[in-house]
Amino acid sequence: MRRSAGNDSGLPEPIPFAEVYATLPLLHPTPRSWAELAAANLPEFLADHAVCEQQVAMYALSLAGYYPDDAELVERVAALAAEEVQHFRRVVAILNQRGWPLGGRRKNPWAQSLRERIVPGRDPWTKVDRLLFGALVEARSCERFTRLLEVVEDRDVVLLLSDLGPAERRHWELFYRLAGRGIDAEALAARFLGWREFEAGLARGLGVSPAVHG
Ligand SMILES: [Fe+2]
Ligand SMILES: [Fe+2]
């Protein structure tokens, strides 16, 4: 482990990856080699990370646009989007301090493949799927941040990820809870299992670039 118990660095102790992983709905763990790659390429990781935060904020707001009559959803996703904007600002601040470039729009084949599973016009399942997609994005992000925390030494990044990992964990749980309103619990779990298996299939081919979902 990077920091020993009782360290005097002033940095938070990392939560053991296995403990966090056990709470997540993922079926394929990210290899430690991905974290080592990301830690060795922090400018690339953070540039990509900033875009992820920006895009999840926009995605959350798009849900408010799809479902304006769902007051609870609108309130929750608006709050989530505000939080993601704060995450975006924190990542941008580190990039700017160091003179590292902010990435612009880029391909995220993992997210793109997931999103293509959402079929419009088949409610209630379209709405459920939009929320389950959000749940998986948050869960995988939480997992990757926790994985990276195990190996990264950079103080600013440690502080950033120590806050963001638990936040993304709350977010996947929120998306899943919103998806399950008015849906039979077993049917929801079965639906989500399909998503989880599909995502695991994608994840098996990943872990080879320093991007958040690469
Ligand atoms: Fe975030
Ligand atoms: Fe999030």
Side-chain angles (χ1 to χ4, degrees):
M1 186 168 291
R2 173 169 42 83
R3 290 179 293 281
S4 58
N7 76 80
D8 55 5
S9 65
L11 293 173
E13 289 297 328
I15 303 167
F17 176 78
E19 278 179 31
V20 174
Y21 189 73
T23 70
L24 294 172
L26 306 171
L27 298 175
H28 179 78
T30 292
R32 188 180 171 95
S33 56
W34 170 82
E36 285 160 357
L37 182 66
N41 293 276
L42 284 180
E44 291 85 350
F45 170 80
L46 290 173
D48 180 74
H49 181 182
V51 182
C52 288
E53 299 291 355
Q54 180 195 344
Q55 292 196 324
V56 76
M58 293 193 295
Y59 182 73
L61 287 180
S62 80
L63 291 173
Y66 282 126
Y67 306 109
D69 299 332
D70 184 340
E72 185 192 15
L73 181 146
V74 170
E75 191 179 315
R76 298 288 182 172
V77 298
L80 185 145
E83 225 183 312
E84 303 296 10
V85 169
Q86 287 307 317
H87 295 176
F88 174 63
R89 294 180 70 193
R90 286 187 63 176
V91 182
V92 168
I94 296 173
L95 289 168
N96 286 348
Q97 267 167 15
R98 299 176 180 202
W100 292 351
L102 171 64
R105 291 178 66 86
R106 81 287 183 254
K107 283 195 164 58
N108 180 339
W110 172 85
Q112 187 60 36
S113 296
L114 282 177
R115 203 161 171 172
E116 282 167 4
R117 287 191 92 232
I118 301 170
V119 181
R122 297 204 189 151
D123 281 329
W125 294 109
T126 300
K127 183 178 183 180
V128 168
D129 285 343
R130 284 185 171 128
L131 291 164
L132 294 181
F133 166 78
L136 272 181
V137 169
E138 299 283 3
R140 182 59 78 183
S141 302
C142 171
E143 190 246 16
R144 287 281 175 105
F145 295 161
T146 307
R147 199 46 145 169
L148 181 51
L149 261 179
E150 287 192 317
V151 302
V152 74
E153 302 274 357
D154 185 297
R155 182 182 177 84
D156 291 339
V157 176
V158 169
L159 291 172
L160 175 80
L161 298 180
S162 296
D163 289 342
L164 266 52
E168 314 308 6
R169 178 169 160 187
R170 268 192 290 109
H171 293 168
W172 94 257
E173 292 168 347
L174 170 67
F175 274 122
Y176 191 72
R177 187 182 68 71
L178 290 173
R181 294 168 307 155
I183 301 289
D184 174 73
E186 265 181 42
L188 179 72
R191 187 85 179 178
F192 196 35
L193 183 58
W195 276 94
R196 294 163 66 203
E197 287 173 342
F198 182 77
E199 194 278 337
L202 298 173
R204 275 184 200 101
L206 296 177
V208 291
S209 94
V212 175
H213 303 127

